[in-house]
Every structure is written in C-alpha cells, then in structure tokens.
Amino acid sequence: METQLARVLVCLAVLSTGVVRADPAPDGTPEAPPARTVLLLGDSLIVTSFGEYLEKSLNEHPGTRAMRRAKSSTGLARPDFFDWMAVGREEVERHQPDVVVVIMGGNDGQGLTDEKGKAKVQWGATGWEDAYRQRVVDFLGVLHAPGRKLLWVELPYTGLPKFERKLGIIRRVLREAVSAHEASKYLETKPFFTDAKGDLLKEARVEGFRKPMRLKMEDGVHFTLAGGWYFATRVYPAVIGLFGPGDGEQRPDSPKPAPVAAAPLPSETPSATPPVEVEVRTREPAVCREFDAVSEAPMTSMPMALCYP
C-alpha cells in the first residue's frame, strides 16, 4: 500500500512541474519537434538570388525547412502561359506548408486571359482592377488552409517612371486584396530600397561585403547577388515572425553569401546570352522544377518576357 501511494505522489510531483518531454526515438534520444515548412512561390525574383538566399536562410533556421517553386515571366494575368492557380494548389497539397511566401505581379500589367488564352479584359480598361483583384483573392483561397499563414512580399521599388506607373496600380490592388484576407500579411518593401528623401537606393551596405554594393542589375528590376542577399535578409525576419513569439530573432553572425551557381558577381556585367533552363536541387527534394535562369540575366533576354521593361 505504501509503495502504491509513493508512486502516486511521484506522478503528481512530475505533473506539477509542467514539463513535457518528447517521446524518445528508437535510439533513446528525444524526438525533435516537427519541422515548420515554408513554401516560396513567385516569378524571376524567386528564381534568382533573392529566392535562393531566402530559401537557404530559412533552411538554416532551427526546425524549419523551405522550398521554392518559381517560374520567370509569370503572374496571374496569363494562365494560358503558366497557371499559378493549378500550380499553387499542387504545391500546397504536396508540401502542406505552415507558411507560404509569394512575390509576383510585375508581369501582370497586361490584358487578362483565361486558361485557353481567350482575352477577358484589357489592361487599362474599366473592370481590369476588379478582375485582377478577384484573381488575387482566388489565388489566396487556393493557398489558404486552417492554421496556415500567407506572406505576400511587395514588388520592390524600381525607380523606373513608366514601369512604376503600372506597378503602382498592381501594388495597390495586391495590397487591398491581401490585407482583406484574414490569414494573409502584405509586406511593404519600399523602405528597403529608398533613402530618407524617398529616392531610389542604388547602393547599400550589405552584410558580408566590405563596401556598399550595387543592389539592382542594369534593367533596374532584377537583383545583383549582393542585392538578392540584401533583400533576403530583410524579408527573412518577417517570415520567421509568422512562426510565433520567440522565433523572430535573426541568426547571429551570418556569413558572406556564397555565389549562386554560375551567377555573375555583383560587380560583373550580366551576360546577354539567353539563359539555359535548368533544374535546381535543394537540400530537400527538388521542388524548384521551373527554374529558368542559371544567371541573373535581365527579363528582356528571357523567352516569353511579358511586361518587365
């Protein structure tokens, strides 16, 4: 009787501590908590250094795994060229991510078509904004699931007056649609690329580099290697912050980023040779199946360049 009473008292003492231990693995060590999964979706900005470095940084964060699905020259305007509704559904069903990060829209300043290429509404026509907003809402619906969070990263400021007029409309529609979605957050990025006067920031101090580095390539849209790293280090905390309290801190002493395969260094001039389509294999199973560029060549040298200047 005394032995049984002692066992009960021991159990009560353990429960009162509030400590919960993971069940041991077969080798006797405690099992690690399930990894949080982040899915990165987007156009050439996810294809090249920004997406590469953001994926790498997230994979280095404890308990996190990240993967990309990216296709240059795409958006929501032309599902006949690339259907992000179908691809987005496929990717979230495959990976069941906890967080989805999206950056796209720079190719969408044009007429909208359906999946068969039939024109629906022309750019600038009455009704374009409402039709495009509905596509964004539908896409958010495809990506959403209970408990899942979505981060839509604002298209970076380019400083190109004509292009910015288009992007201004697209950004506004995206901001309105994403902000109205309860599980989604819109990350404004203009402060990352403008100085105190609101002018374009062409160079900046970048972690891992000794001197200020050029952020954009000659087209004003795509990033140099240093610029991609610069942008990734600013988006990274916003992604980690979606995991919950205590997970928003940046990793200390991040090393200088290693060059992306076959990509030019920030000080080099990008090659005008059309890029070769390749498959990228990450630490996780290969998921960036639509990787279109070995180098960070401007969009204008890529096939099916839709709207970027």
Side-chain angles (χ1 to χ4, degrees), residues 32-66:
R36 294 157 302 197
T37 301
V38 182
L39 175 63
L40 310 178
L41 302 176
D43 56 20
S44 58
L45 297 182
I46 290 291
V47 166
T48 49
S49 62
F50 163 64
E52 177 110 2
Y53 290 141
L54 182 57
E55 178 189 30
K56 182 176 184 292
S57 296
L58 290 168
N59 274 324
E60 290 174 352
H61 188 85
T64 303
R65 68 187 187 106

Side-chain angles (χ1 to χ4, degrees), residues 96-292:
Q96 296 298 314
D98 300 287
V99 174
V100 180
V101 180
V102 181
I103 183 169
M104 66 175 70
N107 295 297
D108 285 341
Q110 60 176 312
L112 307 181
T113 72
D114 62 16
E115 295 82 355
K116 297 181 179 179
K118 182 179 179 181
K120 304 301 291 183
V121 57
Q122 293 301 314
W123 168 260
T126 302
W128 187 93
E129 290 188 21
D130 288 340
Y132 185 63
R133 182 180 292 104
Q134 187 59 53
R135 291 199 178 188
V136 178
V137 171
D138 291 345
F139 189 50
L140 293 172
V142 164
L143 301 180
H144 178 63
R148 181 177 297 154
K149 298 181 181 179
L150 311 177
L151 180 69
W152 198 294
V153 180
E154 183 178 59
L155 296 166
Y157 182 60
T158 67
L160 303 172
K162 185 177 179 180
F163 191 39
E164 279 296 321
R165 284 194 289 273
K166 274 191 172 184
L167 291 184
I169 296 171
I170 294 168
R171 289 191 192 104
R172 175 169 51 77
V173 174
L174 290 172
R175 185 186 301 109
E176 292 170 355
V178 173
S179 299
H181 191 272
E182 61 179 0
S184 301
K185 178 180 178 180
Y186 186 81
L187 178 63
E188 295 190 4
T189 63
K190 188 172 182 178
F192 304 157
F193 300 103
T194 53
D195 60 21
K197 297 180 180 179
D199 296 327
L200 178 68
L201 193 65
K202 295 183 179 180
E203 293 184 348
R205 289 281 180 183
V206 181
E207 182 182 5
F209 294 86
R210 294 181 179 178
K211 62 179 182 179
M213 300 299 295
R214 183 164 55 92
L215 301 179
K216 294 290 189 71
M217 302 189 73
E218 295 299 328
D219 67 352
V221 175
H222 296 90
F223 292 104
T224 61
L225 292 181
W229 176 246
Y230 170 88
F231 192 25
T233 59
R234 280 149 180 79
V235 175
Y236 168 85
V239 180
I240 296 301
L242 295 177
F243 293 156
D247 241 336
E249 298 84 3
Q250 289 205 47
R251 293 169 291 104
D253 301 324
S254 298
K256 179 178 178 179
V260 199
L265 294 175
S267 59
E268 295 177 340
T269 303
S271 171
T273 305
V276 179
E277 187 165 345
V278 297
E279 180 180 328
V280 166
R281 297 188 181 276
T282 64
R283 188 173 63 178
E284 300 297 327
V287 293
C288 195
R289 296 183 295 278
E290 298 292 345
F291 201 98
D292 296 283

